[in-house]
């Protein structure tokens, strides 16, 4: 479609339609359904989400929708169809929110970790993975994000030989819980069939994650908002960065990744 035609299409959409779309999309996270309800084509709606600088009416409507629908935590029993499938299916989770195509080892390992977390014993898993398969991304972003969306009370430690490296991991993970626009995949990974554009954000389907004022939300540790806005029952952070020589109080955690 020529750029001029795209521009004219966007101009025919009224501010009221953009507000209807932004509100519906914020409510249930489904672009197709929100676009249908607002009378906007899905392609135009998707372009607005990915490039809101060129769609000022949508950007304004999104701010209005934020005021109409604050980012409350969505109760697990009231999750939408896509979110309910995502917490049960790791491959679908990382494809929907991160645009990453899962390999068999990643799906198997995620399910293995989830299974071991349910046992009363202290479990140890040693994974040997070759270079270039995305193990850092898997262990420090995709898997922790999935586990947190399944249980916001989980406690995770991300460790590395250097504290600064561990903090980089925590910061990257935290950004995914702040993301308001679905991620776009790099063109080279698309060409190789390893990634696609994400279709939703974690906030879209699970509600807000940033905690009330006073709770940590830093590069070294953060606590996510709990279901029902209840305070976290244990004192440990949801995710904490640890270096090999880091000194810290409290050693309790559910998952420690090194």
């Amino acid at each position: 479609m020529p750029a001029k035609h795209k521009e004219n299409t966007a101009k025919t959409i009224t501010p009221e339609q953009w507000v209807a779309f932004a509100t519906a999309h914020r409510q249930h996270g489904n672009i197709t359904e929100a676009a249908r309800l607002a009378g906007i084509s899905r392609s135009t709606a998707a372009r607005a989400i990915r490039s809101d600088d060129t769609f000022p009416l949508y950007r304004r409507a999104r701010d209005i929708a934020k005021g109409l629908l604050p980012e409350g935590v969505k109760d697990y029993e009231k999750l939408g169809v896509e979110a309910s499938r995502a917490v049960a299916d790791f491959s679908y989770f990382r494809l929907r929110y991160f645009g990453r195509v899962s390999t068999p080892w990643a799906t198997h390992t995620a399910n293995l970790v989830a299974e071991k977390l349910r046992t009363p014993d202290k479990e140890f898993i040693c994974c040997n993975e070759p270079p270039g398969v995305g193990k850092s991304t898997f262990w420090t972003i995709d898997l922790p994000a999935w586990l947190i969306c399944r249980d916001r009370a989980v406690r995770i430690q991300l460790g590395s030989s250097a504290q600064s490296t561990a903090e980089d991991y925590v910061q990257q993970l935290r950004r995914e819980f702040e993301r308001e626009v679905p991620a776009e995949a790099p063109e080279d990974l698309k060409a190789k069939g390893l990634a696609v554009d994400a279709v939703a954000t974690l906030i879209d389907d699970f509600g807000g994650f940033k905690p009330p004022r006073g709770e940590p939300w830093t590069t070294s540790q953060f606590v996510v908002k709990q279901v029902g806005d209840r305070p976290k029952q244990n004192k440990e952070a949801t995710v904490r960065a640890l270096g090999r020589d880091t000194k810290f109080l409290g050693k309790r955690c559910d998952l420690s990744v090194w």
Side-chain angles (χ1 to χ4, degrees):
M1 183 182 290
K4 184 176 179 182
H5 187 67
K6 285 184 183 179
E7 182 181 353
N8 290 340
T9 301
K11 284 183 178 179
T12 63
I13 301 172
T14 66
E16 291 76 15
Q17 284 178 290
W18 280 122
V19 171
F21 167 74
T23 303
H25 183 246
R26 186 172 180 81
Q27 199 164 24
H28 51 66
N30 189 308
I31 296 177
T32 302
E33 180 64 14
R36 185 188 67 78
L37 291 172
I40 300 173
S41 73
R42 188 196 184 284
S43 60
T44 300
R47 287 200 306 273
I49 289 175
R50 298 192 186 286
S51 182
D52 61 358
D53 287 343
T54 58
F55 290 83
L57 289 180
Y58 164 70
R59 191 168 64 246
R60 196 174 304 128
R62 191 180 61 195
D63 292 338
I64 293 172
K66 287 181 181 179
L68 295 174
L69 295 171
E71 294 174 358
V73 177
K74 296 183 181 180
D75 192 286
Y76 294 120
E77 296 179 356
K78 299 178 182 178
L79 292 177
V81 174
E82 294 87 356
S84 296
R85 177 182 173 186
V87 295
D89 184 341
F90 175 75
S91 297
Y92 178 75
F93 177 90
R94 72 191 316 218
L95 186 69
R96 177 172 175 78
Y97 305 113
F98 305 137
R100 287 189 268 275
V101 178
S102 287
T103 51
W105 75 263
T107 302
H108 169 76
T109 306
N111 291 329
L112 178 64
V113 171
E115 175 189 329
K116 296 301 182 183
L117 279 173
R118 291 194 293 267
T119 74
D121 304 317
K122 182 180 290 187
E123 307 279 2
F124 294 88
I125 299 175
C126 178
C127 292
N128 295 306
E129 295 138 4
V133 298
K135 55 184 176 292
S136 294
T137 300
F138 168 83
W139 284 106
T140 64
I141 297 179
D142 298 359
L143 178 63
W146 184 55
L147 296 175
I148 291 168
C149 289
R150 288 163 61 94
D151 178 10
R152 291 186 181 228
V154 72
R155 300 164 296 181
I156 299 173
Q157 295 177 352
L158 298 182
S160 181
S161 58
Q163 174 73 19
S164 59
T165 302
E167 290 184 359
D168 285 343
Y169 293 149
V170 170
Q171 185 174 20
Q172 291 170 18
L173 175 59
R174 191 189 62 176
R175 284 175 181 159
E176 295 302 331
F177 292 118
E178 297 173 330
R179 183 185 293 278
E180 295 184 348
V181 179
E184 266 188 89
E187 292 300 326
D188 60 327
L189 295 182
K190 286 183 183 179
K192 295 176 182 177
L194 299 176
V196 297
D197 291 338
V199 299
T201 68
L202 297 173
I203 292 176
D204 286 336
D205 285 2
F206 298 98
F209 289 89
K210 197 167 184 177
R213 186 184 300 275
E215 295 283 6
W217 190 257
T218 68
T219 56
S220 61
Q221 62 177 328
F222 64 84
V223 170
V224 299
K225 185 184 290 187
Q226 300 297 295
V227 175
D229 290 335
R230 296 186 297 269
K232 203 167 186 294
Q233 294 183 346
N234 46 62
K235 64 180 181 179
E236 287 79 21
T238 305
V239 179
R240 168 181 282 173
L242 294 176
R244 184 172 54 192
D245 298 325
T246 304
K247 295 180 180 179
F248 60 94
L249 296 175
K251 297 182 180 179
R252 289 186 294 272
C253 70
D254 302 300
L255 175 67
S256 184
V257 176
W258 285 83

